[in-house]
Amino acid sequence: MPNASTKPKHGRRTRRRHRDDPARNELVSSSLESAQQCLFNQDYGTAFVHYLLALNLAPVFKDFAKDSFRFTLSKWAEELDSVGRIQDLFNCYEQALELFPDDEVILNSMGEHLFRMGFRDEAAGHFHKALKLRPDYPEARENFYRVANWLVERWHFLMLNDHRRNQKYQQAIERAVQSGCSTVLDIGTGTGILGMCAKKAGAAEVYACELSKTMYELACEVVSANGLGGSINILHMKSLEMEVPRDIPKRVSLVVTETVDAGLFGEGIMESLIHAWHNLLLPRQTDENESSEPSATGRVIPAGATVFGMAIQCPEIRRHHGLCVPKVGGLSLADSGELRSPVSCSSVPDDSMEPYTTERLSRLPGGYTALTLPFTALNIDFNNVQELEGLSSRPVQQMWLPVTQEGELDALAVWFQLHLDEDNSLSTGPHEDTCWEQAIYPVHTTKGFALKPGDTLLVEVSCRDAYLRLCSVAVLREGQEIRLDKPLDLTNPGPSQNPEAELCSALACLQTDHTKDYCVLECAEMALLNNEEYHSSFQCAVTKLISRLKLNNTRQEAADSSELVYVLDVSEGFSLLSLIAASQGHVKAYSSVEKNKQQEVLKRLARSNNIPEESLEFWLNGTEDEQGVLQRPSTEKLWSAIILDCVETCGLVRQKLMEKASLARCLLEEGGRIFPERIVVYGMLVESDMLLLESAVQGQEPTLGFNIAPFINQFTVPVHVFLDFSTLECKHLSESVELFVLDLMDTNANYTTRQVKVKATSAGRVTAIPFWYHIYLDQDICVSTLSQNSHWKQAAVVLQEPLQVSAGDWLCLTVNLHKSTISISAQPDNEPRPMG
């Protein structure tokens, strides 16, 4: 008998014939049966364990059980997620992928959980792998598009399309390298373009670092494709973590970076440069070492910056950052308390607030008015480490600005000039054709207070916690100083007309946190609160419904006249709709508002508008299950009305809208309604170079001679969101047309695809199809997401290949709906048409 340990001849393994193991077969059969029974009993965790056991023991059953296993994993993962067992959730997915490593459904599902947890890079990897396995898998494609916007932000495309910016940086880098800066570190390399510029200019050694895993991998691909893979060492890490000689062999003579945001310091350029000067850069040349060789001294590109500011009036900014209306939907908002956006700047840092937001002033609907001349807020030298280190401890600088134009003070707008070297600079000003937006510091003050010529505005400038802070604190008018950084009521300066109410308010304030005695709403929620048309339309629609339901009840002989009308509002975020419904009387309204301070605002408004306390209830606080709120109000009663939030602020239909509508229809009483009941999608053919520039790197020519476009354009998404169509630089090539209808009340009226014929009214290149919605609350009452005061933005499908049309040409648009996601494709319509 041969030795059992002897290796097979020729190095090949012999295949052993497995004998049937009755006990093993019995265990597999029993486990599969138990899995099916547990699945029937909705015991998904136990079913998952049985499937794991059976399929590991008998992989031959994997194809047979795949669909059931996927479903079990999905339901068990939902349960684990809902109770916060995140580690167990991902352990289950890892076990599943060991069984099915190339299953696109499991990969996509795990990616969805990773994305919700904030692991965007990892999520993108799973979506990307799922798409490679199945390119026509719509869920993975839509998820990848969604995560691509996070991973490669749209400004990357604008920046690479900004030829002037690219050339200025290239010229500054070439000059520095040719003057002796032979070792270069590119901090925040992105696509690697600045590091490649340095190598092309003749730098002996080039290093780069990038924190984003996606951008790091992209930069490695780009550098390798351009033949520089062995010449540029790219590190996946923050520059703040880099050390010599562990990460780079010696200090470099040049740092290049563009880690600046609209507020200059928001991407951490101060911290990274201070660290670089102390740890990664050669010392700066001083008077004592002027005779030193240029290569023995360090320098930075950009060399410095000058920050400018200007006080502005802008209704669009105003309605996104503070309450602008006294009442909406029949509700007085007088007792709402102070409501503000999470953007608020003061000289004292507040971790709960952002010091500024960003806008492209030239594209704001309604425009803006400059109330002061531009002023210089700050000069900074990036080649002076002492100046960088001292910036945070500088005394607050007070600047008195003459007011040149009458108007309400809504914000301070800020931009800067980036000095790359002595001869090259870039401006991010509102009138420049640039890839940057401007920083906006909104002013939270009393509505109706207008500046006028002759006033002087006091602005404080400081730099705390690595952010540039500009704060409007006072106005000097006719020798009197009016403070803007303290609560004030300029509309009613006289004595209180209601001392009792004032006393109640004072007592209420004693029970609150004085450091945060205001309620924060997201910018989109503030704009929604200020949308009078939307709320008044809803008031009319819900009044009609409730009147009809009450009338039906009184006509029924056995009806109880005291029977309540039940209304459920499952809007996202802060919503007044439940309160508007409750104000109709004889209504029990349920709100999905979860934040305690926002609930307090609704309770306060209910009291001040004489709505009984028992008429408003907060439904399932803290629920993790998106479908959980769509349940019966009680075991006996169905809902009279369910309010769904159908359109995201960015301009897209909310995910799983149609699934939620299907569930909501099952929970309505006879005669009950979903609000809205129908959504009609409208669109238009346009020619817009701007949308192309923001969607992909354009043109056939390499960027500064480097091949970058094919790599970053992998992250191109077909839908551009957060679009202001009213200010978009574009040429209209057709009239608006109806593209699609989503009927939330009648499932039989819906379809998944539709072809629409559109006639071109002008000649041009069709580059995009912007779209928006008419939201029908009932058959007659409609609100448009395109209206001037809408809190919604618009979206646009950007065509991969523009279509040339002449006036009178017809295009055929194919519009598809897949799980609430709308996609649009276009092609010439070559069907013959009758003359005349």
Side-chain angles (χ1 to χ4, degrees), residues 567-827:
V567 176
L568 173 64
D569 177 13
V570 289
S571 298
E572 301 283 336
F574 185 78
S575 169
L576 289 179
L577 300 186
S578 59
L579 204 57
I580 294 173
S583 69
Q584 304 303 306
H586 222 59
V587 172
K588 178 75 169 182
Y590 292 80
S591 167
S592 59
V593 170
E594 293 187 58
K595 295 180 181 178
N596 290 335
K597 280 207 166 186
Q598 295 182 0
Q599 289 183 0
E600 288 301 318
V601 171
L602 290 180
K603 291 176 183 177
R604 205 159 53 233
L605 289 175
R607 288 193 295 268
S608 64
N609 284 277
N610 299 317
I611 298 171
E613 182 177 347
E614 62 274 11
S615 296
L616 179 67
E617 187 168 324
F618 297 99
W619 184 244
L620 293 182
N621 276 356
T623 181
E624 296 291 334
D625 183 3
E626 289 184 0
Q627 307 292 338
V629 292
L630 288 174
Q631 298 181 4
R632 296 171 183 252
S634 67
T635 55
E636 307 87 14
K637 179 71 178 174
L638 293 173
W639 298 105
S640 307
I642 296 177
I643 305 162
L644 297 181
D645 200 347
C646 299
V647 178
E648 295 185 41
T649 310
C650 69
L652 298 179
V653 172
R654 286 202 180 274
Q655 288 191 325
K656 299 184 179 179
L657 170 64
M658 301 310 289
E659 293 89 332
K660 289 180 180 178
S662 296
L663 180 57
R665 283 194 297 270
C666 299
L667 299 172
L668 290 175
E669 66 172 315
E670 185 178 355
R673 307 298 292 176
I674 295 174
F675 288 110
E677 66 174 39
R678 184 164 50 99
I679 300 172
V680 182
V681 187
Y682 284 85
M684 177 185 290
L685 308 179
V686 302
E687 177 178 351
S688 174
D689 290 333
M690 182 56 66
L691 283 178
L692 291 178
L693 293 174
E694 292 179 351
S695 302
V697 177
Q698 299 297 313
Q700 302 300 317
E701 291 295 319
T703 307
L704 297 181
F706 301 114
N707 190 24
I708 297 175
F711 302 94
I712 193 168
N713 283 353
Q714 295 178 73
F715 294 89
T716 295
V717 294
V719 179
H720 189 294
V721 294
F722 285 109
L723 177 69
D724 279 316
F725 189 34
S726 64
T727 58
L728 175 68
E729 297 176 24
C730 69
K731 178 182 179 182
H732 294 189
L733 299 180
S734 76
E735 301 292 336
S736 63
V737 294
E738 180 185 299
L739 298 177
F740 211 81
V741 178
L742 303 173
D743 196 315
L744 277 62
M745 281 297 298
D746 184 0
T747 184
N748 297 320
N750 286 309
Y751 40 83
T752 58
T753 187
R754 184 187 186 204
Q755 288 196 331
V756 181
K757 305 297 175 68
V758 185
K759 182 179 181 180
T761 55
S762 301
R765 291 181 312 136
V766 180
T767 61
I769 305 165
F771 58 93
W772 58 95
Y773 312 94
H774 286 188
I775 300 175
Y776 284 86
L777 301 175
D778 62 18
Q779 290 185 348
D780 306 311
I781 300 174
C782 170
V783 292
S784 171
T785 64
L786 196 62
S787 68
Q788 184 176 358
N789 295 318
S790 170
H791 61 284
W792 290 289
K793 301 295 184 181
Q794 293 80 52
V797 170
V798 181
L799 303 184
Q800 288 187 339
E801 296 293 334
L803 293 173
Q804 189 72 41
V805 295
S806 300
D809 287 352
W810 288 82
L811 289 186
C812 179
L813 305 184
T814 302
V815 189
N816 291 302
L817 176 72
H818 179 264
K819 291 191 173 181
S820 304
T821 298
I822 295 174
S823 60
I824 306 171
S825 59
Q827 60 184 18

Side-chain angles (χ1 to χ4, degrees), residues 104 127-142 145:
E104 71 279 5
F127 297 146
H128 198 232
K129 187 175 180 181
L131 273 180
K132 283 185 175 179
L133 290 167
R134 184 178 154 195
D136 64 341
Y137 185 22
E139 284 86 352
R141 184 176 62 248
E142 290 157 12
Y145 287 157

Side-chain angles (χ1 to χ4, degrees), residues 264-285:
L264 187 61
F265 299 138
E267 289 188 18
I269 191 172
M270 278 206 307
E271 298 164 292
S272 60
L273 289 184
I274 290 171
H275 175 268
W277 277 113
H278 285 304
N279 300 280
L280 308 174
L281 256 173
L282 290 168
R284 186 186 184 193
Q285 181 170 309

